[in-house]
Amino acid sequence: MEGQSVEELLAKAEQGEAEKLQRITVLKELELEFDLGNLLASDRNPPTGLRCAGPTPEAELRALARDNTQLLINQLWQLPTERVEEAIVARLPEPTTRLPREKPLPRPRPLTRWQQFARLKGIRSKKKTNLVWDEVSGQWRRRWGYQRARDDTKEWLIEVPGNADPLEDQFAKRIQAKKERVAKNELNRLRNLARAHKMQLPSGAGLHPTGHQSKEELGRAMQVAKVSTASVGRFQERLPKEKAPRGSGKKRKFQPLFGDFAAEKKNQLELLRIMNSKKPQLDVTRATNKQMREEDQEEAAKRRKMSQKGKRKGGRQGLGGKRKGGPPSQGGKRKGGLGGKMNTGPPGFGGKRKGGQRPGGKRRK
Amino acid sequence: MWKNITRPFEDQTSLEFFSKKSDCSLFMFGSHNKKRPNNLVIGRMYDYHVLDMIELGIENFVSLKDIKNSKCPEGTKPMLIFAGDDFDVTEDYRRLKSLLIDFFRGPTVSNIRLAGLEYVLHFTALNGKIYFRSYKLLLKKSGCRTPRIELEEMGPSLDLVLRRTHLASDDLYKLSMKMPKALKPKKKKNISHDTFGTTYGRIHMQKQDLSKLQTRKMKGLKKRPAERITEDQEKKSKRIKKN
């Protein structure tokens, strides 16, 4: 009898468990595929139940959604959890779905000067420990950085060397040397960066006031100061008798009179070919730029006329507000795009004064 | 009407311009005309050029305002569920699925608060239509730790029809999927897997003198002193013979 009751109890316990699990179990033909990093679940089962539902399958959709969500939640609740500030938080794995990137892969950076030298000489870096035993303080200190082991600027006693000026401040000397080293490092870092991005570092020659600067250096310093505003010097006033600076544009480089004979021959033949050809050669980029500049000038002139008329006729709204048309800076983007695309195309656009097609037929009326 | 009509499928330059200026690579463009009523174009960019664009027509639309109940907070990371085998059959549908995941998944996080999972987006592909439904999650008690789910329809619901597509060519898509070396999973050396799922490992040992191995000592097999003496004598005689 007791045996019977034990069996009954076991059976009841099993039933109870099954009932509990029933609330959260869902039967599916095909298992769902989960990507928990993205909170994603894909159900590959063909939606047979829905097909017979009719035009508004809302209820069936909701039932399907409930089942799928239940399965996803079951998976999420299996993840390892931690407690973060009174909330239970599950640690998500990495997302497994591969999605295309937004931007292309970064190009490998060119080697810095030191890396080039090290590669040339075959120098390899030795692994050094981060902490060094410092006798003075009697503890392990960093090799470099904050509170490092042998910081010579922090010494409290410095012997004056025999050949040094007795009135010189040795502490200040050390601090100065450190500042110079830091500045030199910073300069080298910027130079490496500029080399990586193929940019030119703005040279600071003559910009540090020393008191012994020449007239040219002073002039240059003044120029640089003028251009160092937010509007790049466009609205800087000049002194009453100051003249506009000339020669501040790019210097033109000329080839030597005779040097590379092959290149000269090539250039001359190319010139003859262009002169002989029946079809005119059109540089599409230049043509479009010219066209756009002309249109801009026309528009500006019109706007000025309208504003004058408006003032005269007493504040007529005019078309000044709607004159925006297309985004004017789009020209900048279009230039490059056209130039890139059209260079290989047929050069026979001649005759058309408009020069190159406008994409999408956007015409400013 | 406005003078600057953007037609995404004819001319992508204005889309690319906006993407470059705002540094965004996902876009959605809605329009309505007689030929294509209730048109929605969703797309993504790679390097500020259009990668994929899919045009969808909206047939049934129920907005957030039409369903009157409480909504979940803005910015919750939604759970995405795709149902229907159509999503893996055609290339169009596969790209659409990838595009929708990209669009709706939100920022990638490493931890998630279990009680904060409230938002579910459910996409069903059926009879050439895609049913997009958003539900709010209600966690009910079940007997065990995992709660039972009840759903309440909350958000916008759309019935979408696939219209035109402009998918990226295979090599452009391949290029956009390239992962940098640093992110590739590192292969562990000396570990191999069987087809049955057994993992094998290899250990490399130095040469060992097997006679000097420390094994378990069986008392019965221990050499008796008498035996040891006879062994020594044998060894001595062998040495003399060799020499």
Side-chain angles (χ1 to χ4, degrees):
Chain A
M1 275 204 296
E2 276 185 6
Q4 252 191 348
S5 59
V6 164
E7 277 174 21
E8 276 173 27
L9 278 173
L10 281 172
K12 271 191 195 168
E14 266 187 54
Q15 255 193 344
E17 292 253 351
E19 271 173 22
K20 278 189 200 171
L21 285 175
Q22 218 181 33
R23 306 231 342 155
I24 59 165
T25 43
V26 173
L27 273 170
K28 285 275 187 182
E29 277 176 17
L30 262 176
E31 284 295 317
L32 305 201
E33 286 172 3
F34 297 102
D35 174 10
L36 296 175
N38 276 327
L39 298 181
L40 173 71
S42 306
D43 180 10
R44 291 252 172 101
N45 296 305
T48 41
L50 286 172
R51 284 212 183 110
C52 9
T56 50
E58 287 305 325
E60 282 82 9
L61 280 175
R62 184 192 281 203
L64 179 64
R66 197 219 77 79
D67 288 340
N68 287 336
T69 322
Q70 181 73 66
L71 287 168
L72 179 58
I73 290 284
N74 290 351
Q75 285 291 319
L76 283 170
W77 250 251
Q78 309 277 0
L79 291 172
T81 58
E82 331 170 313
R83 205 176 178 83
V84 173
E85 290 176 19
E86 354 150 327
I88 302 179
V89 150
R91 172 163 287 273
L92 288 176
E94 291 281 326
T96 52
T97 333
R98 274 185 71 186
L99 291 165
R101 286 175 64 97
E102 202 182 324
K103 300 201 171 110
L105 288 173
R107 276 168 295 137
R109 271 175 269 188
L111 296 175
T112 62
R113 257 175 86 85
W114 165 250
Q115 281 173 335
Q116 285 168 354
F117 180 74
R119 189 170 274 205
L120 194 65
K121 292 280 188 170
I123 303 171
R124 262 181 279 182
S125 64
K126 282 185 228 160
K127 272 283 186 183
K128 292 184 182 146
T129 54
N130 278 343
L131 300 175
V132 189
W133 177 252
D134 187 22
E135 277 299 331
V136 173
S137 58
Q139 42 173 264
W140 287 94
R141 285 260 185 101
R142 276 170 245 234
R143 190 185 288 273
W144 52 271
Y146 181 60
Q147 287 173 353
R148 54 180 162 280
R150 295 170 215 133
D151 193 352
D152 63 350
T153 48
K154 299 279 191 298
E155 279 187 37
W156 59 273
L157 179 77
I158 307 177
E159 291 173 8
V160 177
N163 50 356
D165 181 12
L167 293 172
E168 203 180 3
D169 187 356
Q170 298 292 330
F171 298 101
K173 195 165 141 188
R174 288 209 177 165
I175 294 175
Q176 194 62 29
K178 177 152 173 73
K179 283 193 186 164
E180 281 172 14
R181 270 179 278 140
V182 169
K184 175 175 167 283
N185 262 326
E186 185 63 23
L187 179 69
N188 282 332
R189 185 181 77 86
L190 290 173
R191 256 199 252 157
N192 281 328
L193 262 171
R195 197 178 304 120
H197 294 283
K198 298 202 173 57
M199 276 197 289
Q200 249 195 341
L201 259 190
S203 82
L207 292 178
H208 300 283
T210 55
H212 315 292
Q213 285 168 299
S214 66
K215 187 176 166 192
E216 287 89 29
E217 283 182 351
L218 286 172
R220 221 191 127 249
M222 196 194 69
Q223 293 287 344
V224 172
K226 248 201 199 144
V227 187
S228 317
T229 56
S231 327
V232 204
R234 250 189 88 154
F235 304 111
Q236 289 301 105
E237 287 143 6
R238 271 186 259 137
L239 290 175
K241 285 203 187 155
E242 195 179 338
K243 280 178 257 181
R246 52 178 294 275
S248 52
K250 258 199 203 168
K251 265 191 163 162
R252 283 184 68 184
K253 277 195 173 157
F254 294 103
Q255 301 293 335
L257 274 179
F258 51 89
D260 192 356
F261 293 116
E264 190 178 338
K265 181 175 174 183
K266 198 168 89 152
N267 285 336
Q268 302 280 10
L269 286 174
E270 181 71 21
L271 190 66
L272 284 173
R273 188 185 71 80
I274 293 173
M275 291 198 323
N276 268 341
S277 71
K278 303 264 167 59
K279 299 181 191 162
Q281 307 278 349
L282 187 68
D283 185 359
V284 183
T285 338
R286 284 187 78 181
T288 39
N289 285 349
K290 196 170 181 181
Q291 176 64 19
M292 286 195 277
R293 218 179 321 131
E294 282 180 9
E295 285 200 359
D296 280 342
Q297 284 173 348
E298 278 171 35
E299 291 241 345
K302 269 191 204 162
R303 227 178 294 151
R304 252 180 279 132
K305 262 197 219 162
M306 298 304 285
S307 70
Q308 276 184 355
K309 273 194 195 160
K311 278 188 202 160
R312 257 186 257 153
K313 294 205 172 168
R316 222 169 118 201
Q317 273 264 304
L319 302 163
K322 271 200 259 168
R323 193 43 75 99
K324 286 274 172 78
S329 51
Q330 208 174 3
K333 173 76 177 34
R334 248 185 272 146
K335 256 194 279 175
L338 277 179
K341 265 192 266 172
M342 292 298 191
N343 273 336
T344 54
F349 276 84
K352 258 206 229 171
R353 206 195 157 258
K354 297 285 179 178
Q357 359 158 251
R358 290 286 179 81
K362 283 190 260 278
R363 289 233 161 272
R364 279 197 237 136
K365 294 216 176 110
Chain B
M1 285 307 286
W2 48 312
K3 298 178 187 175
N4 252 335
I5 305 173
T6 311
R7 296 197 176 94
F9 276 82
E10 273 95 52
D11 164 36
Q12 285 118 31
T13 42
S14 73
L15 286 172
E16 294 178 356
F17 166 75
F18 283 125
S19 148
K20 198 158 199 175
K21 282 288 172 176
S22 60
D23 195 16
C24 274
S25 35
L26 291 169
F27 67 88
M28 200 182 247
F29 178 81
S31 65
H32 173 84
N33 42 24
K34 205 156 128 194
K35 185 169 177 193
R36 282 176 234 278
N38 302 322
N39 208 20
L40 194 70
V41 178
I42 48 176
R44 62 186 159 196
M45 308 266 195
Y46 171 72
D47 192 20
Y48 307 121
H49 294 295
V50 168
L51 182 67
D52 287 335
M53 260 196 311
I54 298 185
E55 189 175 54
L56 300 161
I58 306 174
E59 297 206 334
N60 264 337
F61 175 64
V62 181
S63 79
L64 276 168
K65 284 184 249 175
D66 293 339
I67 305 178
K68 293 182 179 26
N69 59 356
S70 62
K71 318 285 181 194
C72 71
E74 191 184 322
T76 28
K77 192 168 158 89
M79 290 185 276
L80 303 164
I81 304 184
F82 288 84
D85 48 352
D86 284 342
F87 274 120
D88 296 297
V89 171
T90 21
E91 182 63 27
D92 279 355
Y93 271 87
R94 259 177 291 176
R95 288 284 181 94
L96 177 64
K97 181 178 173 186
S98 150
L99 184 57
L100 290 169
I101 295 174
D102 223 347
F103 223 89
F104 289 110
R105 69 171 166 158
T108 311
V109 286
S110 58
N111 294 338
I112 191 154
R113 195 171 75 98
L114 288 174
L117 289 166
E118 289 179 328
Y119 196 24
V120 181
L121 297 176
H122 193 267
F123 298 88
T124 321
L126 179 69
N127 299 339
K129 279 203 206 179
I130 299 167
Y131 296 94
F132 167 71
R133 300 282 180 274
S134 340
Y135 299 101
K136 187 171 156 171
L137 213 66
L138 301 164
L139 303 165
K140 296 279 159 73
K141 272 202 180 144
S142 76
C144 46
R145 192 172 155 250
T146 320
R148 183 176 162 83
I149 298 297
E150 292 299 328
L151 295 179
E152 192 189 331
E153 183 147 5
M154 152 187 82
S157 74
L158 297 98
D159 292 352
L160 302 164
V161 174
L162 194 66
R163 287 186 189 158
R164 297 181 286 183
T165 58
H166 178 282
L167 303 179
S169 60
D170 277 336
D171 28 320
L172 183 60
Y173 197 66
K174 248 189 172 178
L175 187 66
S176 69
M177 296 283 264
K178 253 193 181 169
M179 278 209 290
K181 244 186 180 174
L183 288 179
K184 283 197 195 138
K186 282 210 169 132
K187 197 181 168 197
K188 277 201 155 166
K189 277 182 162 179
N190 291 328
I191 295 180
S192 57
H193 294 271
D194 211 353
T195 41
F196 297 106
T198 335
T199 318
Y200 292 99
R202 278 188 118 138
I203 315 173
H204 297 266
M205 299 279 304
Q206 288 169 336
K207 219 169 180 181
Q208 276 181 318
D209 187 8
L210 291 168
S211 61
K212 298 217 173 85
L213 263 182
Q214 180 92 307
T215 49
R216 216 169 144 201
K217 292 178 175 53
M218 300 285 189
K219 208 163 179 187
L221 301 171
K222 213 171 167 183
K223 285 205 177 101
R224 297 292 226 3
E227 285 180 359
R228 226 181 282 153
I229 291 170
T230 43
E231 248 197 39
D232 282 343
Q233 281 181 341
E234 277 182 28
K235 275 192 188 165
K236 272 190 191 164
S237 58
K238 273 188 189 167
R239 255 184 260 150
I240 293 166
K241 270 191 190 168
K242 275 190 190 169
N243 290 345

